[in-house]
Amino acid sequence: MKLNLNIQPLSSWISVTNEPLIISGPCSAETEEQLLSTAHLLKSTGKVSVLRAGIWKPRTRPGEFEGIGSIGLEWLKRAKEETGLPTAVEVATAKHVEEALAAGVDILWVGARTTANPFSVQEIADALRGHDVPVLVKNPVNPDLSLWIGALERINNAGITKIGAIHRGFSSFEKSSFRNEPMWELAIQLKTHCPELPIINDPSHICGNRELIPYIAQKALDLDMQGLMIESHIDPSVAWTDAKQQVTPAALAELVERFSIRQPESQNEAFADKLADLRRQIDKIDDLVIQKLGERMAIVEKIGEFKRDNNVTILQVHRWDEIMKRRGAFASALKLDPNFTEKFLELIHSESIRKQTLIMNKDKTAETIVEVAPPVQA
């Protein structure tokens, strides 16, 4: 699926102070002094290109701090006047858009919870119509690429061409070290669908704690994301929201200084020749893998026919256990990651289940065949 978005290059609407692009500021604007002090310190680092601050904060439960509100826009305006940094805020309603634009905010972003609601996104898009303002769209809370794409399309259809995405990770029922699972593959899929779309990584919300930020931020840069949004507070220990994931401006400067900045391309001919040769080798192996998968599925169909003719069920659990142990041990000996091996085998066997189910039921034309995805023994 190729996205046909009308997008202006990032460089045409953000002036990068120092590579990489860093958007930084407090999770929440708490007081005028806190915001101005943080802004001045961020400016002094020479690393920050855009000042961000949360003015309206969507909170899970009532009674929690929901942002300082519209008065914070005046503080942000003053911070821009004193530091020269362009500003960015999150908007969740048409009223937020109107107030932010009236206050001269330079960049708006749509938060993860808002992205998940097409009605809310459309309301924001309608309010943006006729304005020439950059808009960044965070991924939805849940790992739904279509929702993310749909939100980008709605904003773009409103005439906004200065548009980008923010990858801030996804909620997961599984407990892990991260506040939100990165699920890099979804950001990569989005980039594949729309190569010209700028994607900015938000390691603060992915990590949920400042200790993990260097790892996630570097990986995002290595994946050729166009910048980072990192929360910074003059004193994170007393922050009113998300204290654990914010860093001081000084710590931010040290973090950025340690980044390894790599280029997506190289002009070195020797490098290009060697890379082309290695890619040719991969192409040959990929062709062979696909060929062997095709041969495997042909045998799967024969097994399905054999089981059908002998009235045998598709799945035998002991066979699956045997496959996982044998293939897992073999893959481990080849230094393949166990998680990758398990997912790969599950995909193959899900397809085996699908094929055998079709064969088992091919005479039941009046019935709807439900595809299931447990492992199969073939």
Side-chain angles (χ1 to χ4, degrees), residues 87-189:
T87 56
V89 299
E90 177 180 350
V91 292
T93 67
K95 187 173 185 294
H96 291 170
V97 173
E98 293 164 3
E99 292 189 24
L101 292 176
V105 174
D106 298 283
I107 300 171
L108 309 181
W109 83 81
V110 179
R113 300 185 191 205
T114 307
T115 302
N117 186 337
F119 290 115
S120 297
V121 175
Q122 189 60 54
E123 177 186 333
I124 290 171
D126 292 340
L128 287 166
R129 196 174 299 277
H131 294 280
D132 183 28
V133 61
V135 178
L136 303 173
V137 180
K138 286 196 172 186
N139 63 252
V141 175
N142 296 321
D144 189 330
L145 183 60
S146 293
L147 269 179
W148 199 1
I149 290 173
L152 288 161
E153 290 175 325
R154 290 176 187 276
I155 300 298
N156 195 225
N157 289 342
I160 301 299
T161 58
K162 299 172 182 176
I163 190 169
I166 300 177
H167 169 233
R168 51 80 79 190
F170 303 86
S171 293
S172 172
F173 286 112
E174 297 179 5
K175 298 294 183 182
S176 78
S177 301
F178 300 112
R179 176 179 178 181
N180 295 294
E181 286 298 317
M183 298 187 189
W184 299 101
E185 63 274 15
L186 289 176
I188 292 170
Q189 286 180 45

Side-chain angles (χ1 to χ4, degrees), residues 260-290:
S260 296
I261 308 300
R262 301 177 173 94
Q263 301 302 318
E265 302 290 343
S266 172
Q267 302 303 316
N268 185 300
E269 291 187 9
F271 169 84
D273 290 343
K274 180 63 175 177
L275 184 62
D277 179 62
L278 292 171
R279 284 174 171 169
R280 280 192 292 271
Q281 293 180 44
I282 283 180
D283 289 343
K284 290 180 180 179
I285 294 172
D286 285 348
D287 289 344
L288 183 60
V289 168
I290 292 173

Side-chain angles (χ1 to χ4, degrees), residues 12 70 82 139 144 217 238 270 281 293 296 303 307 336 368:
S12 70
S70 303
E82 293 184 6
N139 63 252
D144 189 330
V238 297
Q281 293 180 44
L293 282 174
R296 186 189 194 282
I303 291 176
K307 288 178 179 176
L336 293 176
T368 300

Side-chain angles (χ1 to χ4, degrees), residues 18 28 36 94 149-150 159 171-172 194 241 267 299:
N18 183 65
S28 298
L36 291 174
I149 290 173
S171 293
S172 172
C194 190
T241 54
Q267 302 303 316
I299 297 174

